[in-house]
Amino acid sequence: MKPILFNFTDSELEKYVVDLGLPKFRSKQIREWLQRGAPDFSVMKNLPEDLRKKLDESAQTLPLKIVKKLESTDKQTTKFLLELNDGEQIECVLMRTTYGNSVCVSSQAGCAMGCKFCASTLLGLKRNLTPNEMFAQVLTAQWELRGDRFEKKSILPNGDPNNNDVSHIVVMGTGEPLRNTENVIGFLERANKDLNISWRRITVSTCGIVPGIKELNEWGRPINLAISLHAPTNELRSTIMPINNMFKLEDVLDAAFEFSETHNRQLMIEYILLGKRNTDGEVELYNCTPEHADQLSKLLHGKNVMVNLIPWNSVDERDFASPSGNAVHRFQDMLIKNGIHTRIRRERGNDIGSACGQLRLNNKK
């Protein structure tokens, strides 16, 4: 297995270069390319061609490589199928928006949470990702945006949403981030330091791992926290989210509200709107009836929250259905009438399977 130069410290990289019989200054040149997210050695144009070939034979750049890249029809979303060094595969998504360029990062290969509406958990959990593997996902998206077109005076991105840099990170890909909290924190510390991405432009989403939420609170960084709620009662939530049998809804919200109040951040509530087809083929509302809207309003009343309503995105292996547009807007109207800040999320990349709940462990169907 080839060594991954991205994982080397500066001193280790320098030793590697010297052991190849090269002058030390080459290690600095290679490091600059690694920091840009160079996918291979062929792009390192300030290195001699014979050296690039020599490096390609003996090492690899990043701890992952692109297996497949899909573009949405509107050209605003790119999904990457990435292979890790041990052969496991993950997905990450680049979203180009009016407020900047956002990357949806996976924190695990697969997922053990078992949510009944989601594709990410279909093949179970394989392993946690390292901080470097998460950081390399961002650099892969960064390379897509800028490639080797980096100004010499600005080797690293600066997080400016008005240029071709990654400006936002959402840890909402495959996996449960707070089952890999230590590595996620290490990754985010590096993203903030090396890419100058503000804490307020970083979001971590969890299905409700209470100890992990408390650990984030103790960590003390004012990131955005998103809770995948998807039901207003314990009884209903347990039918679609097995984690609710371990951490009850009220305990999840108590921990989340404490985080929100401590860091003065608006809490995001993710709520996928689900329907089921009856024997006549009609879609019956599963978690988004007027009664559910009232129950959800009571849970969130008086709190600094934003509810993101997400009509269910199709997953072949799941037997849910998406409610009608009228049902979605009626649910939103009821929440707003009850004083709850609510919006319907614009889903990006649905046509390439990169919308919420569609990311998978790999390309096996």
Side-chain angles (χ1 to χ4, degrees), residues 4-17 24-38 41 44 46-47 55 61-62 132 135 139 155-156 190 194:
I4 302 167
L5 301 193
F6 185 79
N7 291 343
F8 283 13
T9 65
D10 287 344
S11 59
E12 288 171 340
L13 181 58
E14 184 177 287
K15 181 179 185 302
Y16 182 82
V17 165
K24 289 182 180 180
F25 76 88
R26 293 297 186 194
S27 67
K28 183 178 180 181
Q29 291 176 315
I30 294 170
R31 175 63 71 193
E32 290 175 350
W33 284 106
L34 295 173
Q35 289 172 325
R36 299 174 189 181
F41 297 103
M44 301 182 181
N46 59 343
L47 300 182
L55 287 168
T61 56
L62 301 179
N132 279 351
F135 193 76
L139 293 184
I155 291 172
L156 289 177
R190 183 171 181 183
D194 289 358

Side-chain angles (χ1 to χ4, degrees), residues 329-341:
H329 285 283
R330 184 167 58 247
F331 194 79
Q332 180 191 31
D333 290 344
M334 291 191 67
L335 291 176
I336 292 174
K337 182 179 178 181
N338 290 333
I340 307 300
H341 195 190

Side-chain angles (χ1 to χ4, degrees), residues 173-213:
T174 55
E176 165 51 57
L178 300 189
R179 288 296 197 197
N180 188 21
T181 311
E182 182 178 354
N183 285 341
V184 167
I185 286 176
F187 152 59
L188 295 179
E189 288 281 4
R190 183 171 181 183
N192 172 260
K193 177 178 179 291
D194 289 358
L195 300 181
N196 296 322
I197 296 179
S198 164
W199 295 120
R200 296 179 181 274
R201 291 181 175 178
I202 293 172
T203 301
V204 172
S205 177
T206 176
C207 66
I209 309 298
V210 172
I213 297 172

Side-chain angles (χ1 to χ4, degrees), residues 241-293:
M241 301 181 71
I243 193 63
N244 197 70
N245 295 312
M246 182 175 295
F247 302 111
K248 296 302 182 184
L249 183 151
E250 53 271 19
D251 296 328
V252 172
L253 287 178
D254 283 348
F257 291 148
E258 182 179 359
F259 180 94
S260 173
E261 292 164 5
T262 299
H263 301 290
N264 193 29
R265 303 300 292 151
Q266 185 177 64
L267 178 66
M268 286 183 278
I269 300 293
E270 309 292 315
Y271 200 100
I272 290 179
L273 303 174
L274 301 169
K276 286 246 184 178
R277 293 194 181 277
N278 60 26
T279 54
D280 296 324
E282 299 172 338
V283 176
E284 296 181 350
L285 302 181
Y286 189 81
N287 68 341
C288 48
T289 66
E291 180 183 7
H292 294 140

Side-chain angles (χ1 to χ4, degrees), residues 4-103:
I4 302 167
L5 301 193
F6 185 79
N7 291 343
F8 283 13
T9 65
D10 287 344
S11 59
E12 288 171 340
L13 181 58
E14 184 177 287
K15 181 179 185 302
Y16 182 82
V17 165
V18 171
D19 287 347
L20 287 178
L22 303 172
K24 289 182 180 180
F25 76 88
R26 293 297 186 194
S27 67
K28 183 178 180 181
Q29 291 176 315
I30 294 170
R31 175 63 71 193
E32 290 175 350
W33 284 106
L34 295 173
Q35 289 172 325
R36 299 174 189 181
D40 54 56
F41 297 103
S42 68
V43 301
M44 301 182 181
K45 301 300 185 183
N46 59 343
L47 300 182
E49 184 177 359
D50 60 339
L51 174 54
R52 282 180 266 153
K53 290 181 179 179
K54 186 175 184 178
L55 287 168
D56 186 58
E57 292 171 356
S58 62
Q60 68 183 74
T61 56
L62 301 179
L64 46 76
K65 61 182 179 182
I66 298 175
V67 175
K68 187 187 296 184
K69 184 172 70 174
L70 298 174
E71 288 279 356
S72 62
T73 53
D74 63 6
K75 306 299 182 184
Q76 299 303 300
T77 303
T78 304
K79 181 172 78 168
F80 304 93
L81 175 66
L82 304 169
E83 185 169 283
L84 307 174
N85 209 38
D86 61 358
E88 297 295 348
Q89 293 181 343
I90 58 172
E91 293 181 334
C92 79
V93 181
L94 167 64
M95 297 164 284
R96 303 165 182 84
T97 71
T98 56
Y99 59 80
N101 299 305
S102 183
V103 182

